[in-house]
Amino acid sequence: MNKEKVLIKAIKYRIKFNKDIYRILSVIQYDVFRIKNKATSMAWDWQQFSFGYNERFGEFPKEKDFLGKVLFTDIYQELRGMGENISSSTYNAAIKESVDKFKEQRLRITRGEESIANYKKTGSIPIRESQIKGIEKLNSKTYMCNMSLLSTKYVKELRIERNDKTIKTQFPITLMSGGSASSILDRIITGEYKLRDSRITMDRKNRFFLAVVYQFTPEVKDGLNKDNIIGIDIGVAVPAYLAVSNDGYYRQPVGDAKEIRNFQNQMESRKRALQRSRKWAGDGSVGHGTKTRIKPLEKLSGKIARYKEHKNHVWSRYIIEEAVKNDCGTIQMEDLTGIAVDSPFLKTWSYYQLQEMITYKAKEIGIDVVKVKPTYTSSRCNKCGNIHFKEDKNSWRDTQDRFKCMSCDWGHKFYVNADWNAALNISVFGIEDIIKEQLEVQKKHSIDVSEMQKEI
């Protein structure tokens, strides 16, 4: 019996500012910061002891034999004083998160490939699903929920401090929403989506957000043809170019490279101007020194990142719509690992992010995603299969956006769009093996021609 496929995603909601709530969240955030770093330090100490013990006795010590309990429980009990202000759920989650992270990276740490995780004071607060109760819609842009974040001990202290007996371990938080984000909370309220363990985060403006994690069963598009493949070429002329395996005439550019370059040039120009102006910044811009001086630059960097993310969302959504429209049950994309070194444009654009968005949006509706090696997909003629080489590139690729086959007459007496030709190649099932076989044929032919010339 096949299990239903489920997906887990997250979406952020701003926590409406309230002086008392923000103060409490800051206290919890600081405690979590201390707990995570101390737990990591204790995990590292045990790791060092284990290695030393192994060198001396030829085996690793068992946690229960030396600690009387597993490492997590030992750390949990040792740090209890640090977590006396926060709920046991958050305290438990903070320790588990840091210990699990350390165990996951410890081998890379010992090999010197990574540094030990160092958690920041402005870091996130883990929230268990059970700590979020009674999500309620107030209007189209405002929701409210009750969150259990405080320990009983801390609540008693707050009641005395503020002379307010109404303070409880659970208190109301207002969430600011809007647009499609509201529909997620609506579906959680109705039970269509299941709430999962989430977290509270802080942005650079010191605003708190609730990153809601939810689980749902995707609405799979029935009847899409898995043998019909849409190929996606990530390029310089346009961010993405589409072709369909069973339609030699379909071609679709996605995005405008000129728009991207203009935006990037504009932002880089503003960054350079800001960097120059920092030298003569007035007292109001100096503030606490370097941090205040570079704040405008950080703000600009955030704007660039948001622009890229927005564009990638728009383009990935359009690509999925095109796949469905053309009855494509499979998407094939280039595996672009390491390709950025050859292209300054690709290096500066978040093409990995675009591919990730395409992948998860495709999986939501049941479209398969396949990564193929990009080698020779741009230099292969999609009609005759002939592969061209770099040494003759001026003949078959005189500009970045034009391709002309030097072997066949498929309209390649004239130049065609290079990205379209590449996308058509990427849309072919088993293209990697086909290219490999073609290379062998061309290599053999080259040897045969060479031998014939020797005879002559």
Side-chain angles (χ1 to χ4, degrees):
M1 186 178 188
N2 293 328
K3 292 182 178 180
E4 279 192 316
K5 188 176 183 179
V6 297
L7 293 178
I8 296 175
K9 297 179 69 174
I11 188 168
K12 285 185 178 180
Y13 299 90
R14 181 167 61 85
I15 297 176
K16 186 177 181 180
F17 177 77
N18 176 287
K19 185 171 65 176
D20 290 334
I21 290 176
Y22 266 54
R23 186 184 295 119
I24 289 172
L25 290 177
S26 295
V27 170
I28 297 170
Q29 185 182 46
Y30 181 71
D31 285 349
V32 168
F33 147 74
R34 292 173 63 227
I35 290 165
K36 284 183 177 180
N37 281 318
K38 185 61 178 177
T40 301
S41 177
M42 292 180 67
W44 170 249
D45 289 344
W46 171 256
Q47 184 69 35
Q48 291 297 90
F49 168 76
S50 297
F51 281 133
Y53 187 91
N54 176 257
E55 286 181 7
R56 184 173 180 182
F57 300 104
E59 61 180 5
F60 287 102
K62 295 180 180 178
E63 294 173 1
K64 287 187 177 181
D65 290 345
F66 284 82
L67 303 174
K69 54 187 80 72
V70 296
L71 180 62
F72 172 83
T73 304
D74 181 64
I75 294 174
Y76 184 93
Q77 294 175 353
E78 185 69 21
L79 302 185
R80 200 65 190 92
M82 287 187 178
E84 59 185 4
N85 291 332
I86 62 181
S87 73
S88 58
S89 294
T90 296
Y91 174 68
N92 182 296
I95 293 177
K96 187 176 188 307
E97 187 174 296
S98 56
V99 172
D100 287 349
K101 173 66 176 177
F102 177 80
K103 288 183 176 180
E104 184 270 328
Q105 65 170 177
R106 61 186 173 187
L107 290 179
R108 295 190 295 275
I109 292 173
T110 55
R111 290 195 295 259
E113 298 171 358
E114 288 185 17
S115 299
I116 300 173
N118 183 30
Y119 298 96
K120 299 179 180 179
K121 291 181 181 179
T122 56
S124 63
I125 304 170
I127 304 295
R128 298 294 193 195
E129 169 201 337
S130 59
Q131 293 177 259
I132 305 174
K133 299 289 186 182
I135 301 177
E136 178 184 351
K137 186 171 187 175
L138 302 182
N139 55 54
S140 61
K141 295 184 178 180
T142 312
Y143 291 75
M144 190 189 76
C145 67
N146 293 313
M147 297 192 67
S148 300
L149 296 175
L150 304 178
S151 67
T152 303
K153 179 180 180 297
Y154 188 48
V155 166
K156 288 179 180 178
E157 292 176 0
L158 287 176
R159 286 176 178 175
I160 295 171
E161 177 188 324
R162 302 180 186 182
N163 193 25
D164 185 354
K165 294 183 178 180
T166 63
I167 299 176
K168 300 179 180 179
T169 57
Q170 187 179 96
F171 53 90
I173 285 180
T174 302
L175 303 175
M176 309 307 295
S177 181
S180 59
S182 294
S183 66
I184 303 300
L185 288 179
D186 290 340
R187 292 174 181 180
I188 290 174
I189 292 172
T190 61
E192 184 179 349
Y193 288 175
K194 177 177 171 55
L195 183 67
R196 298 288 298 266
D197 291 350
S198 304
R199 62 181 56 247
I200 292 174
T201 63
M202 176 184 275
D203 69 0
R204 291 181 177 178
K205 296 181 179 179
N206 295 326
R207 298 179 300 179
F208 283 106
F209 290 78
L210 177 62
V212 173
V213 179
Y214 59 97
Q215 173 185 306
F216 65 100
T217 303
E219 297 179 7
V220 176
K221 295 287 184 181
D222 293 328
L224 290 178
N225 185 359
K226 297 292 184 181
D227 295 328
N228 194 18
I229 303 170
I230 190 164
I232 305 174
D233 174 62
I234 301 293
V236 176
V238 292
Y241 211 104
L242 312 182
V244 176
S245 60
N246 71 348
D247 186 345
Y249 296 97
Y250 174 88
R251 60 176 77 185
Q252 186 61 58
V254 181
D256 185 346
K258 185 178 179 181
E259 176 189 358
I260 296 167
R261 287 193 183 87
N262 288 342
F263 177 82
Q264 288 182 326
N265 292 338
Q266 181 185 2
M267 291 299 104
E268 290 303 318
S269 177
R270 288 176 62 183
K271 282 177 76 173
R272 287 192 294 270
L274 276 171
Q275 286 169 337
R276 289 193 297 269
S277 70
R278 295 300 88 191
K279 297 178 183 178
W280 304 284
D283 292 339
S285 295
V286 174
H288 296 290
T290 303
K291 185 175 180 181
T292 302
R293 286 177 183 270
I294 67 173
K295 194 171 183 179
L297 293 172
E298 291 179 342
K299 186 176 181 180
L300 198 58
S301 297
K303 184 175 182 179
I304 295 171
R306 288 191 296 275
Y307 174 84
K308 291 180 177 181
E309 184 175 10
H310 169 71
K311 286 296 181 181
N312 284 336
H313 267 301
V314 172
W315 296 334
S316 58
R317 183 167 57 247
Y318 177 79
I319 288 169
I320 299 303
E321 289 172 354
E322 286 296 293
V324 173
K325 187 189 301 183
N326 287 276
D327 190 32
C328 295
T330 303
I331 287 175
Q332 288 195 168
M333 298 186 290
E334 301 160 283
D335 182 357
L336 295 175
T337 305
I339 202 173
V341 293
D342 297 326
S343 171
F345 174 75
L346 289 179
K347 192 173 183 179
T348 56
W349 188 254
S350 302
Y351 57 88
Y352 281 124
Q353 184 187 66
L354 174 59
Q355 286 195 333
E356 287 171 1
M357 288 182 178
I358 293 170
T359 299
Y360 82 71
K361 289 176 183 179
K363 289 181 178 178
E364 284 183 3
I365 59 173
I367 295 177
D368 294 338
V369 177
V370 178
K371 294 283 186 72
V372 300
K373 292 179 181 178
T375 313
Y376 298 115
T377 54
S378 295
S379 58
R380 176 185 183 268
C381 171
N382 72 84
K383 281 295 181 181
C384 72
N386 184 64
I387 295 172
H388 304 72
F389 299 98
K390 285 186 177 180
E391 50 266 29
D392 304 318
K393 194 170 184 179
N394 289 337
S395 300
W396 57 270
R397 189 89 176 259
D398 65 338
T399 64
Q400 183 63 38
D401 60 344
R402 303 202 310 173
F403 174 88
K404 179 170 70 173
C405 181
M406 307 304 293
S407 179
C408 75
D409 293 332
W410 172 71
H412 288 178
K413 292 179 178 178
F414 309 97
Y415 283 97
V416 297
N417 185 281
D419 294 330
W420 179 42
N421 177 68
L424 280 166
N425 286 324
I426 294 168
S427 72
V428 176
F429 176 76
I431 184 62
E432 291 181 5
D433 291 335
I434 292 172
I435 287 175
K436 186 177 179 180
E437 291 173 5
Q438 179 63 23
L439 288 171
E440 291 295 324
V441 170
Q442 290 185 218
K443 181 181 178 181
K444 185 177 184 302
H445 176 72
S446 177
I447 293 172
D448 290 343
V449 170
S450 177
E451 291 299 321
M452 288 173 62
Q453 288 174 341
K454 285 180 182 179
E455 291 178 6
I456 294 172

